[in-house]
Amino acid sequence: MKKLFRSIINITKDNHPTIELDDLTRNYRAFLASSIQPEDPSYIKLFTMLEAHFRDYKEMPSINLLVTKASKDGDENVLAALKDIASETPYVRSDYKEILKEIFEEQSRELLQKTLLLTNQAATSGIKVGKKEIKGISAAVEYFVGESRKFRMTNLSVKTESNIKTGEDSKEVLDSYKEKKANPLKSLGMYTFLDRIDDTYRGLKPGELMLIAAYVKQGKTILATNLAYNGIMQGLNGLFISIEMNFDEMRNMFYVLHTCNPDWFDHPKYKNLIGKVTFDKVIYGELDGLEQEFFEASSNDFPTRKDFGELYMHQPTESLTSSKLEILAYDYNSRLQEQGKTLDFLVVDYVGYMIPDKNDRYGEWNTDLNNIIRKLKILANNFDNGRKLRIISPFQINRSGHKEAEKNDGVFKLSALSNANEAERASDLIISTYMSEEMKKSGIIKIGCMATRRGADFTPFEARIDFGPRQIREYIQKKKSDDPSKNGIEDIPMDIQ
């Protein structure tokens, strides 16, 4: 702790500051963001003095002022602490942040031991936190999840506070622009491969929440599956949480979707089978000889695609709360990090099936749903120390909203979200899907924009929905790139033994 305080107190040597005032302020803000807590009583008092001085003057105090105040109060412990602090070596910028990480990990290890003991006590005899009693395995797990957030240090390289009217911020803005200018691909989002959406919205960015709003049996899950598949086609790594459908069904949907990949368009043997391998034929074992051969070739190709990102699928075996979802996201991110990768997007099918954490339940469905949606957005924004995460979830609109859309050519009003106002507030993009019975028979789905935080709304448009392979696409599907390095389809054997 001495090292940390040495670098946030103004100490001069030969009438010159050992740390520039701007660096002192930077260090202090990094200290606050780190969530490190002084534990020694003298350091707690000293930190209170630092906080008060910065609050009043927006700069860090000199050690002379602190010595004067401690002497006036007759606080020998604080004076001794200041003497120890003055003998330490100062650190700035990345060096200081590295020291913060070391102290944070040290404190977290101690806190983890205490939390594990309390979690075990909660699971057996129970504990009291505030006015609430926590008892039982499920409640203990939720308690541990809540407490474990304290072990995650904020990403100190992510700036969240500043006087933006400074030369430093001006330089950061211009450097960021130049980086995007030099590498446009870096600023691209996760595309839907539906031109009307992508031309307007330019892809879902990290930290953004997208809801797919529709009534029952209106293609929500099919679109969510297509978006996830398109995401890994772009090299992004995803996690698909399936609450509504079982694991085998969802896995089959992705493997069937791969038979519709545009890379197959030019395959000499299988190009005419695109769309013929259907979900129902696969689950009932009804593919004919050539269709089965194609399905085997496609299924063998899918796991070998090095140009694709990874896709994990998880079917919860118990009710899914916001805390459990957060644990899953971090768990699968850790698995990806072992491969040198990161989790880029999360699909939850769907948010309406989630339940609130025990300590957050209000007992009123709409209120609980609003809180769950709000926590989805918080997870998207703060995931992995501020690296952020794209989150996509189907969302069921109310019956009256669907009836209004039936009268309005499949276009929804925002009142269709009235049962969950947080859907509009927290979401960065809400797209709607609509199909009349006649449209279903014709394989047509209408996609609209109910709300967006950036860019203009896109005009509602019709797309092709093929219920056989469960694919949603433009009416005219684009062929694969002429660059053979972007696919490996031609290398598949013509005959599967």
Side-chain angles (χ1 to χ4, degrees):
M1 196 61 66
K2 291 185 291 184
K3 295 178 183 178
L4 297 183
F5 275 71
R6 170 63 181 87
S7 302
I8 57 176
I9 295 174
N10 187 5
I11 300 177
T12 59
K13 185 176 181 181
D14 299 329
N15 293 322
H16 294 288
T18 53
I19 301 180
E20 296 295 331
L21 292 179
D22 285 347
D23 283 329
L24 281 173
T25 300
R26 249 186 232 104
N27 285 351
Y28 175 67
R29 286 173 174 154
F31 185 99
L32 294 179
S34 72
S35 302
I36 290 174
Q37 295 294 327
E39 296 171 341
D40 184 277
S42 58
Y43 280 87
I44 292 173
K45 289 181 182 178
L46 188 53
F47 187 65
T48 302
M49 294 165 67
L50 294 172
E51 282 185 306
H53 187 90
F54 187 83
R55 186 170 55 247
D56 291 340
Y57 302 105
K58 298 297 180 287
E59 65 179 27
M60 303 312 296
S62 69
I63 193 168
N64 297 332
L65 177 65
L66 296 173
V67 168
T68 300
K69 286 189 173 185
S71 300
K72 185 177 180 182
D73 294 339
D75 198 325
E76 296 296 329
N77 290 329
V78 171
L79 287 170
L82 287 168
K83 185 177 180 180
D84 289 340
I85 289 168
S87 65
E88 289 290 329
T89 303
Y91 294 89
V92 295
R93 300 182 181 253
S94 60
D95 289 346
Y96 185 68
K97 290 174 182 177
E98 192 60 34
I99 299 297
L100 283 172
K101 288 180 182 178
E102 289 178 10
I103 302 297
F104 180 81
E105 288 178 5
E106 184 181 312
Q107 286 192 348
S108 294
R109 280 193 292 271
E110 296 173 1
L111 182 59
L112 176 60
Q113 291 178 352
K114 180 181 176 182
T115 303
L116 287 170
L117 288 172
L118 287 172
T119 300
N120 182 59
Q121 186 179 337
T124 52
S125 58
I127 60 173
K128 207 159 190 179
V129 178
K131 295 182 179 180
K132 294 181 179 179
E133 184 179 5
I134 299 173
K135 188 175 182 180
I137 297 294
S138 181
V141 169
E142 289 186 6
Y143 166 76
F144 180 79
V145 171
E147 292 298 302
S148 69
R149 293 189 180 97
K150 298 175 183 177
F151 310 143
R152 296 174 192 152
M153 188 176 189
T154 302
N155 188 346
L156 300 178
S157 63
V158 176
K159 198 167 188 176
T160 58
E161 187 272 340
S162 174
N163 172 12
I164 66 170
K165 194 171 172 287
T166 63
E168 177 186 350
D169 283 80
S170 172
K171 183 179 184 300
E172 289 173 355
V173 168
L174 292 174
D175 287 348
S176 175
Y177 172 77
K178 290 173 184 176
E179 184 180 2
K180 293 171 185 173
K181 182 85 171 176
N183 183 13
L185 292 177
K186 192 171 182 180
S187 60
L188 294 180
M190 175 178 166
Y191 281 88
T192 67
F193 292 177
L194 296 168
D195 289 347
R196 193 72 63 86
I197 300 176
D198 293 338
D199 289 346
T200 303
Y201 199 70
R202 303 182 73 175
L204 192 67
K205 306 290 194 296
E208 293 186 335
L209 171 64
M210 174 197 286
L211 295 183
I212 303 168
Y215 197 51
V216 295
K217 296 183 178 179
Q218 293 287 302
K220 299 188 298 294
T221 295
I222 294 178
L223 182 54
T225 307
N226 277 253
L227 293 178
Y229 179 78
N230 293 340
I232 64 170
M233 277 181 65
Q234 297 166 66
L236 301 174
N237 303 303
L239 170 61
F240 195 104
I241 307 287
S242 179
I243 309 175
E244 185 176 26
M245 295 178 66
N246 67 52
F247 179 88
D248 287 342
E249 288 176 330
M250 288 307 307
R251 182 175 59 186
N252 281 336
M253 281 184 69
F254 282 102
Y255 272 81
V256 170
L257 260 181
H258 189 58
T259 66
C260 297
N261 189 293
D263 287 346
W264 296 107
F265 282 157
D266 290 334
H267 194 281
K269 191 172 185 180
Y270 302 135
K271 61 184 178 183
N272 294 323
L273 292 174
I274 296 175
K276 300 293 179 64
V277 176
T278 69
F279 178 75
D280 287 342
K281 285 182 181 179
V282 169
I283 63 172
Y284 293 113
E286 296 175 347
L287 297 171
D288 66 27
L290 191 56
E291 289 170 350
Q292 180 173 332
E293 179 184 312
F294 176 34
F295 184 56
E296 290 178 5
S298 176
S299 297
N300 289 327
D301 174 68
F302 187 44
T304 67
R305 293 299 294 264
K306 298 195 181 300
D307 53 332
F308 280 26
E310 306 295 336
L311 181 61
Y312 286 93
M313 185 172 295
H314 180 91
Q315 180 190 353
T317 55
E318 57 184 2
S319 298
L320 184 66
T321 64
S322 299
S323 292
K324 289 175 182 175
L325 177 66
E326 187 176 348
I327 286 181
L328 285 171
Y330 276 96
D331 177 32
Y332 284 95
N333 187 52
S334 296
R335 298 189 196 188
L336 284 162
Q337 285 176 334
E338 291 173 1
Q339 307 172 45
K341 303 175 182 180
T342 55
L343 184 65
D344 299 307
F345 69 89
L346 166 67
V347 179
V348 185
D349 187 24
Y350 66 95
V351 65
Y353 278 126
M354 292 180 65
I355 65 170
D357 290 300
K358 187 173 182 180
N359 295 332
D360 292 335
R361 292 173 193 168
Y362 286 82
E364 199 279 314
W365 189 80
N366 288 342
T367 303
D368 288 340
L369 180 60
N370 276 316
N371 284 333
I372 291 170
I373 294 172
R374 186 182 303 115
K375 288 193 172 185
L376 282 182
K377 178 60 180 176
I378 292 171
L379 176 60
N381 260 335
N382 299 314
F383 183 70
D384 198 12
N385 292 330
R387 183 176 60 82
K388 305 183 188 304
L389 181 68
R390 304 166 180 87
I391 298 182
I392 300 169
S393 179
F395 175 83
Q396 186 170 315
I397 62 166
N398 56 50
R399 186 187 298 271
S400 60
H402 180 68
K403 288 186 177 295
E404 282 293 322
E406 287 180 322
K407 300 174 186 176
N408 196 30
D409 195 27
V411 178
F412 290 89
K413 297 179 180 178
L414 280 174
S415 57
L417 306 173
S418 60
N419 59 318
N421 295 327
E422 194 63 35
E424 182 185 356
R425 287 194 293 265
S427 301
D428 298 276
L429 177 63
I430 305 176
I431 60 177
S432 63
T433 62
Y434 173 83
M435 293 181 288
S436 65
E437 290 304 313
E438 193 61 38
M439 291 171 73
K440 288 180 182 179
K441 293 175 184 176
S442 302
I444 298 172
I445 185 169
K446 176 164 277 190
I447 299 176
C449 180
M450 297 184 69
T452 177
R453 283 189 191 276
R454 56 180 171 85
D457 297 354
F458 58 83
T459 306
F461 65 95
E462 292 181 349
R464 172 73 176 164
I465 180 167
D466 192 335
F467 289 102
R470 308 288 175 94
Q471 185 194 31
I472 295 176
R473 56 180 172 80
E474 301 280 0
Y475 275 109
I476 300 176
Q477 194 170 9
K478 296 174 182 176
K479 290 191 176 185
K480 65 176 183 178
S481 169
D482 290 333
D483 182 357
S485 66
K486 294 183 180 179
N487 64 81
I489 297 299
E490 281 94 356
D491 297 329
I492 295 176
M494 295 288 288
D495 297 302
I496 304 296
Q497 300 298 323

